[in-house]
Amino acid sequence: MIPAKFDYVRPSSVDEAVRALASGGDDIKVIAGGQSLMPLLRMRLAFPDKLVDIGGLDELRGVRDAGDALQIGALTTHYEVTRDPLIRQHCGLLAQATALIADPAVRHRGTIGGGLAHADPAGDLPAVITALDATLVVRGPSGSREVKPADFFADYLTTSLASGCPSSTAGATGTRSST
Amino acid sequence: MTTIVEHEVGKARTRKEDARLITGQTNWTDNITLPGQAYVAFLRSPYAHARITSVDVSAARQAPGVMAAFSGADFAGEQGSLPCAWPVTEDIVMPDHPPMAVDTVRYAGEIVAAVVARDRYAAADALESIDVSYEPLEPVLDMQAALEPGSPKVHEAGNKSFTWTFANGDLEAAFRDAPVVLERTYRQQRLIPSAMEPRAVVCAPVGDEYTMWSATQIPHVLRVMLAVVTGIPEQNLRVIAPDVGGGFGSKLQVTAEEVLALLLARKLGRPVKWTESRSEGNVAVHHGRDQIQRIRIAASADGQLRGLDVDLLADMGAYLMLVTPGIPLLGAFMYNAIYKMDAYRFNCTGVFTTKTPTDAYRGAGRPEATFAIERIMDDLAAHLGVDPLELRMRNWIRHEEFPYTTIAGLTYDSGNYEAATAQARSLFHYDDLRKEQSERNAAGSPVRLGIGVSTYTEMCGLAPSRILGSLAYGAGGWEHASVRVLPTGKVEVVTGSSAHGQGHETAWSQIVADELGVPFEDVRVLHGDTQVAPKGMDTYGSRSLTVGGTAVVKACGKVREKARVVAAAMLEVSPDDLEWADGRWSVRGDPEQGKTIGEIAFATFAAHNMPEGVEPSLDSDATYDPDNFSFPHGTHLCAAEVDTETGAVKIRSYVAVDDVGVVVNPLIVDGQVHGGIAQGIGQALYEEAAYDSSGNLMTATLADYLIPSAADLPAFTIARTTTPSTGNPLGVKGVGEAGTIASTPAVVNAVVDALRPLGVSDVPMPCTPQRVWQAIQEARSAPGPASGPASGSASGSEGAAR
């Protein structure tokens, strides 16, 4: 239960994070809440050379009313999603789903971006986000693009996030929903 | 002086040990850090079965922080073979079991190399640089296939370890022309014990003497076995079991890691420590259960049992550990349970597979037996259209028939199945629930109600040494105690029962308080260190109170008798004129004239006026070997709601009425019953050690191996009847395993009872939603009677055999 050695950087902006990921080689991983990655590291099932800790990027945190959509930052925790008044009002299904993720400790650490980017078939969020037909906003060195869930989830534990910038600085955007 | 004596035995004392256990003030083995201590990490085989062609540890030896690295070849000649103390038959195949594999690995998780480093991190990193070449061999994963002639062999001598048979009565006659014969096959799935504290061991050499701290249930047995395995003289070994966080049988073992820690400490001449992670423990700690049970029962038309025939296959795993072969035998005497019958036959074959070895797990053979008999009794009741409690009543030993020698040859000293069942029935509101069940069935409700019955007994208080001898067990079943009265009147009790969470310090203090007339607070209980408590047989098989507690009572009796002689001298009367009353020796007819144990102890400390020929000490020892087992029993009733659309099972209510004899501490007993029921429910609904087709354990973490949490369980309704054991002076029977033994069949019986109207006659364990749903679908698509909503009757849906 001891991870192998890795380098660690903690960027202070999304641009910096994107640069760190783009220059980091193949064995680089993003860490946010760490609820999926930490167990993999501890059991030595993952051996990244470097971790990019995006936990300090406040711009990726929180829920905003964007007119005809809700914008949910990738770093918004499951707990915050569950409690957020905008989500409860416009996108209740998501709040109901996050309320059932694991236990309180996990819900306080785990993030919506991480839950989606990990693409665990046993995870709660991929199915919900697909049902809601959300749009995922992905940033990389060549700018940002929008992906629909059906194109985002490629296979078990595999997404269409580009391998050069392998993980999520994804912002999930929930469409307004009457549920 | 008048003392008001209040009995300590029976009081719900909060536990003496809890303050230090729950406030982090104690030392678990992993908390022990010695000067110069190095850390051990083990490399384990990723293959279930392979020949080792080479192990190269040279790179690991060069890794930062590493002091040494070894392969199995480095221990050749000194590592010996891990012991199996229970050769159940004369022709048993008992293969060599090196603590570190040398040329062949036989389960995924077997140790192939070790690294010793300055810290855990360096040790874990260095494991990555060890290069092992394997030549994979075919795994052996299925017990039945393992016995086929063409099967790949786990060991040179073959895949059968032994066949052990017991028979009593004319079985052929019992089955011949029997109006009812049922045959069933049940699968006892493999379980992982999951003690809260993972294993850990620290071993320190001083010259040629060694002290080992280990999270073990058996410091005394371990010391003997370490001496036998390594050749280190026993007097140079000291084993300490500090506070230990649960075992459930998994720490009733002499492990490869313990032996290797000792050898590494000797090789390096410095203290070494090893602590396992949960995922390491899941593959390496011995597993429990894993049997295929074929059971046939013959009965008369009114349900009187005639005969019982049991054929077992028991998975030993890859090797025989300390008591592996004996585990199914502990069940051999329990299949007949509380029932009278004319004939019984038990046959068990132990089979090797390329899986983690199995051994004792809470109940050890008895839960398996109880499950099979209680499941088939429910099926028989359904077959006959009789209420399952009524069927049991027609067959059980009536309370006036005790002592009763069963068809399995044990003599049950006492019991009152009628009383426990009546109380359980009333607390459960049995008749109301049966009515509700009928209504739901009649309405074709999608959520059915099932009522599960389990009227269990078990054998505790392991064990009369002569019986262990007759079963070829390698040791006795006695227990030791010594009682020391200090000059200030306080008492130290040394017990050979090494506690690992049971609360011995509290219960023993209550017993001694009553026996010697001293306050509960004045008693200190010492255990778990072969230097402090040099003699013991340790804790397993619900033996501590019945055997170890009795040893304490006997030692206290000797203290009292010694004190009587001294008190007589102090009071200038004859010892015959004294009586033990209200916790002191006083003059018969003149109770004001008396001496407490404390006063007498001080007199022996000063020793100025000792009577002629009397030694100045009250201290006394006793080694107690029981004459018989004890036989706790009880009636557990479970009401489960089963959603026929999703397969989900919800336990709605659970009533346990146990008869564990006299209760020393009701709080401790309640805790044992609660935990036991939870663990039994775990087997019924959640837990299974699952292997993939190449023999890798797929449930190596607690994310994959599901144990129940408090949130998964209902509030249990717990009550007791008290029929004292006649086999020991305390009247106690033991309670460590009862809940686990009773609850698994109660829960599965409830699940099947709910689904019987749909044509379901069995659901394999664990009864996960998927399996329950699947059983419903299979019953629906099967041709034959009773599919879809049926009447309230539980009968009529039963074929003769599954």
Side-chain angles (χ1 to χ4, degrees), chain B residues 58-146:
Chain B
S58 55
R61 286 182 177 144
Q62 304 307 314
V66 170
M67 298 161 178
F70 302 100
S71 68
D74 296 319
F75 290 103
E78 64 173 316
Q79 67 173 349
S81 180
L82 290 175
C84 172
W86 205 334
V88 294
T89 59
E90 282 184 9
D91 61 350
I92 187 171
V93 171
M94 201 179 276
D96 195 42
H97 185 189
M100 188 179 290
V102 180
D103 47 25
T104 307
V105 286
R106 294 183 176 86
Y107 65 94
E110 193 168 354
I111 297 172
V112 294
V115 166
V116 187
R118 205 160 34 227
D119 57 47
R120 288 187 76 183
Y121 311 95
D125 285 345
L127 288 186
E128 306 283 347
S129 58
I130 297 175
D131 190 10
V132 186
S133 299
Y134 296 98
E135 188 186 296
L137 300 168
E138 243 186 291
V140 180
L141 301 171
D142 180 277
M143 278 190 273
Q144 279 154 324

Side-chain angles (χ1 to χ4, degrees), chain B residues 324-651:
Chain B
T324 302
I327 299 305
L329 272 57
L330 287 173
F333 306 98
M334 285 285 116
Y335 277 88
N336 54 301
I338 62 172
Y339 309 118
K340 296 180 282 190
M341 60 189 74
D342 305 325
Y344 171 50
R345 190 186 74 101
F346 172 88
N347 186 70
C348 171
T349 297
V351 186
F352 292 114
T353 60
T354 54
K355 296 183 190 172
T356 301
T358 61
D359 207 324
Y361 173 54
R362 201 171 190 175
R366 293 158 287 164
E368 295 94 314
T370 305
F371 179 85
I373 186 68
E374 289 303 290
R375 281 285 295 113
I376 206 167
M377 286 299 278
D378 255 34
D379 275 5
L380 180 62
H383 185 81
L384 297 170
V386 176
D387 180 276
L389 283 175
E390 165 66 24
L391 178 72
R392 285 165 170 84
M393 199 184 73
R394 289 181 193 174
N395 284 288
W396 69 37
I397 302 157
R398 294 189 311 273
H399 72 273
E400 67 272 17
E401 292 177 294
F402 288 95
Y404 183 90
T405 300
T406 71
I407 194 73
L410 293 176
T411 300
Y412 295 178
D413 64 307
S414 69
N416 191 335
Y417 311 137
E418 296 92 328
T421 302
Q423 195 174 342
R425 200 184 165 111
S426 142
L427 288 168
F428 189 69
H429 305 295
Y430 187 83
D431 296 332
D432 295 346
L433 284 168
R434 282 284 179 216
K435 189 157 163 281
E436 183 186 334
Q437 178 185 38
S438 302
E439 287 163 5
R440 287 201 199 199
N441 288 344
S445 164
V447 179
R448 297 299 176 102
L449 181 66
I451 294 166
V453 171
S454 170
T455 51
Y456 77 99
T457 189
E458 55 155 333
M459 53 197 263
C460 286
L462 270 51
S465 297
R466 66 186 158 79
I467 295 185
L468 291 177
S470 72
L471 294 172
Y473 182 58
W478 47 263
E479 193 49 88
H480 182 76
S482 50
V483 174
R484 305 196 288 250
V485 188
L486 305 178
T488 52
K490 314 293 183 191
V491 180
E492 283 177 342
V493 181
V494 181
T495 175
S497 301
S498 181
H500 47 286
Q502 291 88 348
H504 289 23
E505 291 168 38
T506 306
W508 278 214
S509 296
Q510 291 178 265
I511 292 169
V512 171
D514 280 357
E515 292 294 319
L516 297 183
V518 297
F520 170 79
E521 294 77 10
D522 285 0
V523 185
R524 172 119 194 272
V525 179
L526 305 169
H527 60 92
D529 179 343
T530 59
Q531 193 156 297
V532 173
K535 203 170 152 84
M537 275 292 181
D538 306 317
T539 290
Y540 46 85
S542 304
R543 71 188 301 273
S544 288
L545 187 58
T546 46
V547 189
T550 300
V552 170
V553 170
K554 302 251 178 208
C556 286
K558 292 183 184 176
V559 169
R560 272 202 315 268
E561 285 312 307
K562 286 185 183 179
R564 179 184 204 154
V565 178
V566 182
M570 292 166 80
L571 295 164
E572 296 177 347
V573 294
S574 154
D576 295 339
D577 295 334
L578 293 179
E579 63 179 355
W580 180 259
D582 297 340
R584 59 189 205 128
W585 284 116
S586 53
V587 177
R588 200 172 279 117
D590 185 10
E592 291 297 306
Q593 293 289 321
K595 296 289 177 192
T596 66
I597 284 288
E599 290 164 335
I600 303 165
F602 188 79
T604 66
F605 174 67
H608 297 162
N609 294 305
M610 294 300 293
E612 188 66 33
V614 174
E615 66 178 45
S617 171
L618 301 182
D619 301 351
S620 299
D621 284 19
T623 304
Y624 171 69
D625 197 341
D627 289 330
N628 192 2
F629 298 94
S630 58
F631 302 95
H633 69 82
T635 299
H636 286 212
L637 297 172
C638 173
E641 289 182 346
V642 182
D643 188 325
T644 57
E645 288 167 353
T646 64
V649 174
K650 185 175 164 247
I651 297 177

Side-chain angles (χ1 to χ4, degrees), chain A residues 1-5 43-44 47, chain B residues 120-121 124-125 128 277 279 701:
Chain A
M1 295 302 276
I2 297 170
K5 283 210 170 88
M43 285 189 271
R44 298 201 176 207
F47 294 84
Chain B
R120 288 187 76 183
Y121 311 95
D125 285 345
E128 306 283 347
S277 67
S279 42
T701 74

Side-chain angles (χ1 to χ4, degrees), chain A residues 138-157:
Chain A
V138 181
R139 287 266 288 278
S142 49
S144 82
R145 60 190 169 99
E146 297 190 349
V147 194
K148 296 308 273 186
D151 300 318
F152 183 79
F153 299 111
D155 204 339
Y156 287 177
L157 302 166

